[in-house]
């Protein structure tokens, strides 16, 4: 409820302030991305100079766990491409845009954020197919950002592989064993973690992207709960309490979470709302796909961010982490405030 109110407040602020709101918010998003990215790069080199291990679950410690920041990245990365349009003919804005996108993609690659990577690529592809302007923006700014991120990752990968194999993203063994217990199959992370010699590449972006990492077991469990309690489910957030390990907050899929915790009727309502939202987003991309105005470019990038989040919701607990919840309210309110409104003029019944 509070997030919905926050989204309405954001929408009102955007509608009132216009492009000034866009400039302030996108600048704050860029500053956050740069600060976190540079901190991680400094941390990597500090660990390397001290010959200490740089483990996956110790990265991005200010967000509690790397995936919490990866969720935030799903919401914010598409929007950053609008930075050069919000600050036109500004070389500093162009430089900040490419560097920020580069460090974002470096973090996604170094932390092996499969959900964010696949979601972003799916959203970019959809936006490019429906909107020529969105395609132009994505190719022009996200491509050099991605290339810069790959170069950053490749450089760190090169020095890690040549000089030491100690700087390795290493998943939490407890979480791996929990998911193995649910799925009944060896986890790809666990297999890689036991491989010798360890590889920075194999434990980050080199992981098999098609592996569910125990999620298929969680989805089966959610369906079983829905069969036991079809109408009202097992209750909000009870998946955490009733789960086999008692620590997994959700089945890592919003649909299965609503199905198991709220029941089949609620899942049907969610499906209807989801299809309606997708129809609106696709229609907006297609209808405004050739408008190159600054406001429309901003709108298209916000829509692309929401598409990425919708894809990510199917494989992760995107709406359970605090940073991602705030980002969801921000982006949803942003879209509401920036969307064009049809204002029909009404004639007075009485002529003076």
């Amino acid at each position: 409820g509070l997030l919905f109110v926050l989204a309405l407040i954001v929408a009102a602020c955007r509608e009132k302030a216009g492009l000034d709101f866009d400039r302030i918010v996108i600048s704050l998003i860029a500053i956050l991305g740069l600060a976190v990215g540079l901190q991680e790069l400094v941390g990597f080199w500090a660990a390397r100079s001290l010959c200490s291990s740089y483990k996956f679950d110790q990265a991005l410690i200010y967000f509690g766990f790397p995936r919490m920041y990866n969720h935030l990245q799903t919401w914010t990365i598409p929007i950053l491409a609008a930075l050069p349009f919000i600050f036109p003919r500004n070389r500093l804005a162009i430089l900040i845009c490419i560097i920020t996108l580069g460090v974002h993609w470096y973090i996604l690659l170094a932390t092996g954020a499969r959900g964010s990577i696949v979601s972003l690529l799916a959203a970019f592809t959809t936006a490019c197919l429906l909107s020529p302007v969105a395609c132009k923006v994505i190719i022009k700014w996200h491509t050099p950002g991605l290339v810069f991120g790959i170069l950053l990752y490749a450089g760190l990968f090169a020095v890690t592989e040549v000089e030491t194999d100690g700087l390795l993203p290493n998943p939490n063994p407890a979480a791996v064993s929990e998911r193995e217990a649910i799925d009944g199959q060896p986890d790809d992370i666990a297999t890689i973690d036991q491989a010798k010699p360890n590889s920075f590449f194999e434990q980050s972006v080199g992981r098999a992207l098609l592996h569910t990492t125990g999620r298929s077991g969680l989805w089966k469990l959610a369906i079983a709960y829905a069969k036991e309690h079809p109408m009202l489910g097992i209750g909000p957030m009870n998946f955490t309490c009733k789960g086999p390990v008692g620590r997994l907050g959700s089945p890592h899929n919003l649909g299965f979470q609503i199905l198991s915790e709220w029941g089949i009727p609620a899942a049907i309502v969610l499906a209807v709302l989801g299809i309606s939202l997708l129809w609106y987003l696709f229609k907006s991309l297609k209808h405004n796909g050739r408008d190159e105005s600054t406001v429309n470019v901003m709108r298209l990038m916000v829509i692309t961010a929401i598409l990425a989040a919708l894809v990510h919701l199917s494989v992760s607990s995107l709406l359970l982490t605090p940073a991602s919840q705030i980002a969801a309210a921000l982006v949803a309110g942003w879209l509401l405030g920036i969307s064009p409104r049809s204002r029909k003029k009404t004639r007075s019944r009485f002529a003076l």
Side-chain angles (χ1 to χ4, degrees):
L2 291 177
L3 292 175
F4 180 73
V5 173
L6 178 59
L8 293 180
I9 293 174
V10 171
C13 292
R14 171 57 184 81
E15 189 171 7
K16 187 70 174 177
L19 283 176
D20 289 336
F21 175 90
D22 298 339
R23 293 188 183 99
I24 293 172
V25 176
I26 201 171
S27 297
L28 292 175
I29 291 174
I31 291 172
L32 173 64
L34 275 176
V36 174
L38 293 176
Q39 174 183 278
E40 291 306 302
L41 288 171
V42 170
F44 183 97
W45 286 107
R48 180 180 179 275
S49 63
L50 295 174
C51 299
S52 60
S53 61
Y54 181 74
K55 298 182 183 299
F56 163 77
D57 54 1
Q58 294 176 355
L60 299 159
I61 57 174
Y62 292 110
F63 289 85
F65 190 70
R67 290 294 170 257
M68 295 185 182
Y69 185 68
N70 296 147
H71 293 169
L72 184 61
Q73 288 178 294
T74 301
W75 291 103
T76 57
I77 285 179
I79 294 174
L80 287 169
L83 191 63
F85 293 88
I86 298 298
F87 298 96
R89 296 181 296 276
N90 189 319
R91 294 183 179 180
L92 180 60
I94 294 174
L95 183 64
I96 291 175
C97 176
I98 295 176
I99 292 177
T100 306
L101 287 173
V103 295
H104 268 303
W105 280 105
Y106 158 73
I107 290 177
L108 291 178
L109 296 173
T111 57
R114 301 175 298 169
S116 295
I117 293 173
V118 172
S119 301
L120 289 168
L121 294 180
F124 290 159
T125 302
T126 303
C128 286
L129 291 175
L130 295 176
S131 170
V133 172
C135 185
K136 180 180 177 180
V137 173
I138 290 169
I139 292 175
K140 186 174 182 178
W141 300 113
H142 281 290
T143 300
L146 174 59
V147 171
F148 181 48
I150 291 175
L151 290 176
L152 277 176
Y153 177 84
L156 297 178
F157 164 71
V159 298
T160 300
E161 292 298 304
V162 171
E163 300 189 19
T164 176
D165 62 352
L167 304 175
L168 301 173
N170 187 23
N172 186 346
V176 171
S177 62
E178 288 171 1
R179 286 180 175 171
E180 284 184 35
I182 297 171
D183 211 6
Q185 298 293 331
D187 191 279
D188 63 314
I189 301 179
T191 304
I192 294 172
D193 191 42
Q194 296 168 0
K196 300 295 181 181
N198 285 323
S199 169
F200 180 71
F201 173 77
E202 288 176 352
Q203 292 204 17
S204 52
V205 74
R207 293 162 50 197
L209 290 175
L210 297 180
H211 199 284
T212 65
T213 320
R215 286 171 173 79
S216 57
L218 296 175
W219 299 339
K220 293 175 184 177
L221 186 60
I223 293 174
Y225 287 151
K227 289 179 179 179
E228 294 175 7
H229 306 276
M231 296 307 297
L232 298 177
I234 59 176
M237 294 307 296
N238 271 342
F239 192 95
T240 302
C241 303
K242 293 179 177 293
V245 293
R247 292 198 298 174
L248 293 172
S250 79
H252 286 66
N253 179 290
L254 180 62
F256 283 126
Q257 182 176 2
I258 297 299
L259 178 67
S260 62
E261 295 183 348
W262 292 84
I264 295 175
I268 294 174
V269 172
L270 177 68
V272 172
L273 292 175
I275 293 172
S276 301
L277 176 60
L278 280 174
W279 178 82
Y280 171 76
L281 296 177
F282 291 163
K283 181 181 176 182
S284 298
L285 282 172
K286 195 171 183 64
H287 181 70
N288 303 305
R290 299 184 182 278
D291 182 1
E292 296 187 6
S293 65
T294 300
V295 173
N296 191 59
V297 169
M298 189 73 251
R299 183 188 303 118
L300 293 175
M301 293 302 100
V302 170
I303 291 174
T304 305
I306 295 177
L307 286 175
L310 290 175
V311 176
H312 204 166
L313 279 170
S314 65
V315 293
S316 186
S317 307
L318 192 70
L319 292 180
L320 290 186
T321 54
S324 184
Q325 290 175 344
I326 298 300
L330 172 64
V331 176
W334 205 340
L335 180 61
L336 288 174
I338 205 172
S339 296
R341 283 164 175 71
S342 58
R343 297 177 180 176
K344 297 181 180 180
K345 294 183 179 180
T346 58
R347 291 184 178 181
S348 175
R349 282 186 169 184
F350 305 99
L352 297 178

